[in-house]
């Protein structure tokens, strides 16, 4: 897994519902069909056949974070989100080829995000991202 800088966000048109909290994902300044939560890209990575894009939305009482798994054809394959926190993403480190570990500013909690290429089943259907508190 390696850090990249290919993705950015674009505001949505005024008629789009919840446009204050969502953005269109851009890949190398070109529009994609992917709409994500958040108003800022916090981190982004490339790993084999996948991209991982982490977005965040900073509001008065905390920060919301979302993690998106996108394939090389720029299709969203999975998404997950930890509980809201009072801090931004920090201390991101690669612990395996398809796994990163990170924390949030002002918190001692550590999290890991792993890509499971073959997928696994959950109540929400087939998933590819596994988010765990370490």
């Amino acid at each position: 897994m390696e850090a990249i800088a290919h993705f950015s966000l674009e505001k949505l048109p005024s008629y789009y519902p919840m446009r204050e909290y969502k953005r269109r994902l851009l890949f190398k300044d070109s529009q994609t069909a992917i709409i994500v939560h958040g108003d800022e890209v916090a981190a982004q990575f490339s790993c084999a056949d996948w991209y991982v894009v982490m977005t965040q939305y900073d509001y008065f009482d905390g920060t919301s974070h979302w993690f998106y798994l996108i394939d090389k054809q720029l299709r969203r394959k999975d998404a997950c989100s930890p509980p809201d926190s009072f801090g931004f993403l920090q201390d991101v480190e690669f612990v395996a080829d398809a796994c990163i570990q990170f924390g949030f500013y002002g918190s001692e909690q550590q999290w890991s995000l792993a890509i499971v290429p073959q997928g696994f089943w959950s109540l929400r259907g087939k998933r590819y991202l596994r988010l765990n508190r370490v």
Side-chain angles (χ1 to χ4, degrees), residues 53-126:
V53 179
M54 300 175 162
T55 62
Q56 61 190 21
Y57 179 77
D58 182 23
Y59 59 95
F60 180 74
D61 289 330
T63 306
S64 298
H65 300 86
W66 296 271
F67 309 135
Y68 295 94
L69 184 67
I70 300 165
D71 67 15
K72 296 292 181 168
Q73 290 76 40
L74 301 177
R75 296 175 299 200
R76 190 178 107 166
K77 300 304 282 184
D78 199 2
C80 62
S81 181
D84 287 1
S85 68
F86 289 105
F88 295 104
L89 193 68
Q90 72 173 12
D91 300 330
V92 177
E93 66 178 90
F94 306 110
V95 294
D97 285 341
C99 184
I100 57 174
Q101 192 168 325
F102 58 91
F104 297 105
Y105 181 79
S107 171
E108 296 297 319
Q109 295 179 353
Q110 289 290 304
W111 294 81
S112 71
L113 181 70
I115 300 171
V116 181
Q118 70 275 14
F120 61 96
W121 288 98
S122 77
L123 294 175
R124 292 181 47 201
K126 192 165 187 179

Side-chain angles (χ1 to χ4, degrees), residues 17-61:
M18 302 291 290
R19 67 183 172 88
E20 300 87 18
Y21 311 106
K22 296 182 179 183
R23 300 288 187 268
R24 178 174 305 281
L25 192 65
L26 303 178
F27 179 74
K28 297 182 179 178
D29 296 325
S30 296
Q31 285 190 347
T32 69
I34 302 170
I35 304 297
V36 297
H37 290 276
D39 63 354
E40 180 181 2
V41 174
Q44 50 189 292
F45 308 97
S46 178
C47 176
D49 297 329
W50 310 95
Y51 296 113
V52 175
V53 179
M54 300 175 162
T55 62
Q56 61 190 21
Y57 179 77
D58 182 23
Y59 59 95
F60 180 74
D61 289 330

